[in-house]
């Protein structure tokens, strides 16, 4: 019997797992995909928002601000790279400037610090590639960037080291509530019992809620297409650059990413279904047109990758509540943007909701808050790298030519939970560079097969059904 | 730090030819760095014939062509070979940093020849819309999977682009029992050699569709189908011409790009085509597919030999 069952291993589920792992509790997390963070959390903009774009009275706004402050500490504890690069919301005319001032006042009411309106002169000095027609911008120094999947993986690893049990490839298919006492969670891998249950199932949180007769919200996926540019273009922008937000989205932005590649997007459009991660020619045109309004020198041929993400939208705000109808069930749904930013604050809110509804929270004597930072060879100083290579042969064995990822780093990422080509890519960046795996695919497949003791035929891109190869020659 | 007269980066046909010709022109202190375990570069995976017709006046396979240079190299002990040596940095003081399992080394050279080959354009560079399942390969990767790794990447294949690699892979897949459902070319003619059109497409009766473009890839986990459309002279889609082909694999064969990141990072520029193999930094040369994309290895070899002689001359001028 578990005290807590968490459904969903995205950034929200893993943040909750880690948050709760400081207490004396038996916790299980169920994730239907083969790896964590394969849902919404793998395809987003990776921005730690300062809180400039949400209404000060919304739950989103409050949790965004709180999350923004928490991330600084958490990223240090977990050894995840977090860079506070700051953001600019740009105005091109007096009308927009007026809106900018309004945005500033709103954000100040919410509690965002350090905001200022900057002049064209400031912009010219600090953001030289920005469209020179900008007349002002709202500068928010507390905006930052992080790798969303690495944050989720490292939250999970921290939770794991503090006793949380993770069940991947485990889809919750049925849930029965037994009296006041416990839930019986039926999955493809067996039945688990738990006293409390947290629904953090992202796009599918409505379907999970339905299993317990909760039908008052539904998730409408809203698609965002994003286009990643070559690292060589890192110089294009020094800050996150936004246009003025519209009613439904923050608009199409210039995003700095934690790996150095500029990214542009996202669109905001209705998706066909919850699996529709396609990109379109129209999306491409729209994103490049809009991005060029901000930075005119952006070129389509610098694109090295693109993807779509689906925002799990359930109305305007997040839905985070205890379900009084089904005691012990906490719903965490509609976690659209800024859900990545808010995740650590959502975890605290969920803790409080659990406490209020009868869970006794006793701190463990020993909670390990820190985690050894994952080694990234090329982020090290040359003499450090040299020493490491001497100590561990595998560091000198480069597998991915574009991102310079060594065999040792790939093996480490498998030891830490990497099971698929995408999982390895998210963790190490191997295959995420300009040649898109043309060079390293064969080698990574072989390392995965060897270390997981699986035949090559079973190596997948992102779980069952996405096997890379179809046969062994002369042998099928 | 190690010091050398000449360092050649890359031991494909270009790097080997350059090293050998530098030797013949008098350079005796040569280091040849290759990141793979083998010499020969991309030729190792080109098991088809068609190499050496100009240079050797013989029809050879890729490995046979490379083999001739490998043999010559091995007889020249003054050319120091270092395999599994991945160059990660070049700077304008002509210092190269390279990694080997267990080692990170720097070498300073009087002259450097970069012969790092090329990479293939990806689906992303040609902006094919749709989903992102498994089953999308660059043609060269598919070639490596079949010819080197001995695995079959797919069974029902649509090939995008009619360059030589695409055509050769159409035949290769067919020989492996896979079905090539279409080779799609947006232009009204192939960009590959005539002999490949005959030997790889016509001889096997494969559907080569001119004036067609791929519109979209479908399938969540694995490729399920693609949609295609006819285009006019200006490559604009002809209305109502869209149709679908079921397949599990899409090969991208839309061209190659010289691999020059090391030079770029050092802020060294490659000169124009009339200034063969030269760069903005005297003493640093580029040859083979990293200088420009060659259709025929024979011409890459010849031009790379020039690079070797140029490097030798440069070193001599320093000593004079
Ligand atoms: C294009 C785009 C850009 C964005 N940009 C930003 C940004 O810059 N900053 C920001 O703060 N936010 C951003 N967001 C929002 C952010 O990505 C999400 O709020 C966040 O990732 C949500 O995390 P999650 O854990 O709730 O969802 P998910 O990551 O989807 O996790 C839910 C998990 O539950 C699993 N699951 C579902 N059903 C079941 C079941 N029955 N059994 C077991 N497991 C199940 C899923 O497989 C999934 O892994 C963006 C979103 C999009 C789409
Ligand atoms: C699939 C394919 C089919 C072809 N078919 C034909 C044909 O039928 N007939 C024909 O005449 N020509 C053909 N060609 C063309 C011919 O093979 C090429 O022109 C020739 O191989 C180019 O030689 P290269 O030495 O410049 O490049 P490559 O052969 O690619 O060699 C580059 C070498 O540099 C190494 N290297 C790269 N970066 C580094 C680094 N940082 N550190 C250390 N080492 C590095 C690589 O490992 C590689 O060994 C074909 C080419 C391809 C790709």
């Amino acid at each position: 019997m578990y005290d807590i069952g968490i459904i969903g291993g995205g950034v929200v589920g893993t943040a909750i797992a880690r948050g709760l792992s400081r207490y004396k509790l038996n916790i299980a997390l169920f994730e239907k995909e083969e790896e964590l963070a394969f849902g919404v959390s793998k395809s987003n903009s990776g921005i730690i928002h300062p809180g400039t774009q949400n209404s000060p009275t919304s739950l989103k706004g409050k949790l965004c601000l709180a999350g923004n402050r928490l991330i600084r500490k958490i990223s240090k504890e977990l050894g995840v790279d977090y860079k506070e690069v700051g953001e600019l919301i740009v105005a091109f005319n007096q009308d927009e400037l007026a809106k900018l001032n309004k945005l500033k006042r709103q954000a100040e009411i919410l509690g965002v610090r350090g905001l200022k309106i900057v002049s064209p002169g400031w912009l010219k000095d600090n953001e030289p590639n920005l469209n020179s027609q900008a007349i002002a911008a709202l500068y928010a120094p507390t905006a930052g960037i992080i790798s969303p999947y690495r944050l989720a993986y490292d939250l999970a690893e921290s939770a794991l080291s503090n006793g949380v049990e993770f069940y991947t490839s485990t889809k919750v298919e049925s849930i029965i509530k037994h009296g006041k006492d416990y839930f019986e969670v039926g999955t493809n891998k067996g039945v688990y019992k738990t006293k409390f249950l947290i629904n953090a199932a992202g796009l599918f949180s409505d379907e999970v809620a339905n299993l317990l007769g909760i039908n008052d919200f539904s998730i409408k996926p809203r698609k965002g297409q994003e286009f990643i540019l070559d690292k060589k273009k890192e110089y294009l922008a020094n800050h996150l650059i936004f246009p003025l937000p519209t009613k439904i989205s923050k608009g199409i932005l210039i995003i700095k990413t934690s790996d150095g590649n500029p990214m542009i997007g996202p669109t905001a459009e209705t998706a066909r279904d919850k699996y529709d991660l396609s990109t379109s020619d129209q999306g491409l045109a729209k994103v490049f047109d809009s991005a060029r309004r901000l930075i005119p020198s952006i070129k389509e041929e610098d694109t090295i990758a693109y993807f779509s993400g689906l925002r799990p939208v359930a109305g305007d705000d997040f839905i985070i509540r205890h379900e009084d109808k089904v005691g012990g069930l906490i719903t965490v749904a509609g976690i659209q943007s800024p859900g990545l930013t808010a995740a650590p604050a959502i975890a605290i809110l969920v803790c409080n909701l659990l406490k209020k509804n009868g869970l006794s929270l006793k701190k463990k004597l020993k909670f390990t808050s820190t985690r050894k930072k994952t080694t990234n060879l090329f982020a090290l100083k040359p003499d450090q790298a040299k020493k490491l290579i001497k100590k561990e042969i595998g560091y000198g064995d480069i597998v991915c030519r574009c991102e310079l990822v060594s065999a040792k780093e790939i093996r480490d990422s498998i030891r830490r939970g990497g099971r698929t080509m995408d999982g390895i890519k998210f963790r190490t960046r191997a295959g995420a560079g300009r040649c898109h795996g043309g060079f390293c695919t064969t080698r990574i497949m072989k390392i995965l097969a060897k270390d997981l003791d699986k035949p090559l035929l079973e190596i997948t891109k992102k779980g069952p059904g996405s096997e890379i190869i179809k046969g062994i020659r002369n042998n099928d | 730090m190690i010091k050398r007269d000449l360092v050649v980066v890359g031991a494909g046909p270009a790097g080997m030819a350059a090293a050998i010709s530098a030797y013949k022109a008098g350079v005796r202190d040569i280091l040849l760095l290759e990141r793979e375990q083998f010499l020969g570069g991309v030729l190792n995976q080109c098991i088809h014939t068609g190499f050496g017709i100009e240079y050797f006046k013989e029809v050879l396979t890729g490995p046979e062509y490379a083999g001739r240079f490998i043999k010559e190299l091995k007889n020249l002990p003054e050319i120091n070979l270092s395999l599994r040596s991945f160059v990660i940095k070049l700077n304008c003081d002509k210092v190269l940093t390279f990694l080997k399992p267990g080692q990170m080394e720097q070498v300073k050279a009087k002259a450097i020849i970069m012969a790092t080959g090329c990479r293939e354009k990806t689906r992303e560079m040609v902006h094919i819309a749709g989903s992102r399942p498994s089953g999308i390969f660059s043609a060269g990767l598919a070639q490596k999977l079949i010819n080197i790794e001995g695995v079959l990447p797919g069974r029902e294949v649509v090939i995008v682009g009619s360059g030589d690699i695409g055509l050769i892979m159409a035949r290769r897949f067919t020989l492996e029992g896979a079905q090539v459902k279409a080779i799609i070319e947006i232009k009204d003619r192939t960009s590959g050699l005539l002999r490949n059109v005959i030997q790889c497409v016509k001889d096997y009766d494969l559907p080569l569709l001119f004036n067609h473009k791929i519109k979209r890839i479908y399938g969540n986990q694995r490729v399920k189908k693609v949609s295609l459309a006819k285009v006019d002279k200006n490559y604009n889609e002809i209305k109502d011409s869209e149709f679908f082909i079921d397949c599990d694999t899409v090969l991208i064969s839309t061209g190659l790009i010289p691999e020059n990141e090391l030079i770029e990072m050092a802020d060294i520029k490659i000169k124009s085509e009339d200034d063969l193999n030269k760069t903005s930094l005297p003493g640093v040369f580029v040859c083979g597919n990293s200088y420009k994309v060659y259709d025929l290895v024979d011409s890459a070899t010849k031009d790379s030999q020039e690079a070797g002689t140029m490097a030798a001359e440069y070193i001599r001028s320093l000593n004079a």
Side-chain angles (χ1 to χ4, degrees), chain B residues 28-59:
Chain B
R28 287 293 173 271
D29 181 25
I30 305 176
L31 175 65
L32 177 52
L33 296 170
E34 167 56 50
R35 66 184 170 200
E36 298 287 342
Q37 273 168 340
F38 307 98
L39 304 170
V42 77
L43 293 180
N44 287 316
Q45 66 183 61
C46 299
I47 61 169
H48 56 279
T49 59
F51 299 83
I53 303 170
E54 270 177 40
Y55 191 79
F56 292 112
K57 314 279 181 244
E58 275 180 70
V59 183

Side-chain angles (χ1 to χ4, degrees), chain A residues 296-316:
Chain A
S297 56
I298 285 178
K299 291 198 193 75
E300 281 178 31
E301 63 252 34
D302 292 323
T303 312
I304 63 152
Y306 40 78
F307 63 85
S308 282
L310 299 173
R311 306 170 185 86
V313 179
D316 285 338

Side-chain angles (χ1 to χ4, degrees), chain A residues 232 278-279 304 306 389 397 401 434 436 439 442 446 461-462 464 466-468 470-471 473, chain B residues 102-103 119 123-124 128 130 132 134 137 144 146 149-150 152 155 176 216 220-222 261 264:
Chain A
K232 291 176 196 165
S278 62
T279 53
I304 63 152
Y306 40 78
I389 289 169
D397 180 4
R401 70 172 162 198
R434 52 184 78 89
H436 240 260
F439 180 72
T442 51
K446 286 194 280 190
K461 175 169 160 58
K462 50 184 173 181
S466 67
E467 286 71 19
I468 307 285
K470 285 279 176 186
R473 270 179 67 203
Chain B
Q103 268 169 277
R119 64 169 177 272
R123 174 248 175 126
E124 284 72 19
I128 303 171
R132 304 171 60 243
S134 78
F137 302 91
K144 187 164 153 196
I146 299 182
E149 304 300 336
L152 188 63
R155 296 192 187 283
E176 287 302 321
R216 219 177 156 85
N220 290 336
Q221 293 297 95
R222 178 81 193 190
E261 273 65 34
E264 267 176 35

Side-chain angles (χ1 to χ4, degrees), chain B residues 16-146:
Chain B
M16 292 195 292
I20 293 169
S21 86
Y23 173 84
K24 288 184 180 158
V27 189
R28 287 293 173 271
D29 181 25
I30 305 176
L31 175 65
L32 177 52
L33 296 170
E34 167 56 50
R35 66 184 170 200
E36 298 287 342
Q37 273 168 340
F38 307 98
L39 304 170
V42 77
L43 293 180
N44 287 316
Q45 66 183 61
C46 299
I47 61 169
H48 56 279
T49 59
F51 299 83
I53 303 170
E54 270 177 40
Y55 191 79
F56 292 112
K57 314 279 181 244
E58 275 180 70
V59 183
L60 304 173
T61 65
E64 283 168 347
Y65 185 94
R68 303 222 167 162
F69 291 90
I70 295 173
K71 201 168 149 207
E72 197 173 350
L73 258 184
K74 297 243 157 114
N75 286 327
L76 300 173
E78 289 87 349
I79 301 180
N80 229 289
L81 278 179
S82 184
L83 296 172
R84 300 193 75 186
S85 302
F86 202 125
V87 177
I88 57 163
K89 202 171 166 204
L90 160 68
N91 72 18
C92 18
D93 297 326
K94 301 198 187 109
V95 175
L96 289 154
T97 309
F98 65 96
L99 300 187
K100 277 178 110 150
Q103 268 169 277
M104 176 160 144
E105 298 287 353
Q106 288 196 311
V107 51
K108 187 169 165 63
K110 289 184 183 157
I112 293 175
I113 299 175
M114 300 299 288
T116 49
C118 60
R119 64 169 177 272
E120 298 176 273
K121 282 198 185 159
T122 62
R123 174 248 175 126
E124 284 72 19
M125 284 175 184
V126 287
H127 295 308
I128 303 171
S131 58
R132 304 171 60 243
S134 78
I136 305 170
F137 302 91
S138 66
L141 171 57
Q143 184 179 47
K144 187 164 153 196
L145 284 165
I146 299 182

Side-chain angles (χ1 to χ4, degrees), chain A residues 174-217:
Chain A
S174 66
I175 310 171
I176 304 166
K177 174 91 206 267
H178 285 276
K180 275 200 159 59
D181 303 332
Y182 68 95
F183 295 89
E184 212 174 82
V185 180
T187 75
N188 55 326
K189 294 279 174 81
V191 178
Y192 303 90
K193 291 177 185 159
T194 176
K195 292 178 194 152
F196 287 83
L197 195 58
I198 299 165
N199 173 6
L203 288 165
F204 303 90
S205 50
D206 53 349
E207 291 167 34
V208 169
N210 291 347
L211 296 175
L212 285 159
I214 292 166
N215 303 308
D216 65 340
F217 67 90

Side-chain angles (χ1 to χ4, degrees), chain A residues 53-54 222 224 328 348 379 381 465:
Chain A
Q53 281 129 321
N54 298 110
R222 188 185 292 145
I348 294 178
K381 296 207 180 72

Side-chain angles (χ1 to χ4, degrees), chain B residues 157-162 167 170 174 179-185 200-202 204-210 212 228 243 245:
Chain B
V157 189
V158 168
I159 299 175
V160 181
S162 68
L167 301 180
T174 309
Q179 190 187 356
V180 173
K181 296 199 130 177
I183 306 162
I184 305 154
E185 172 55 58
C200 301
V201 181
K202 297 252 159 73
Y204 293 85
D205 220 359
L206 300 177
L208 173 54
L209 307 178
F210 293 114
H212 278 72
L228 309 175
F243 63 101
I245 295 184

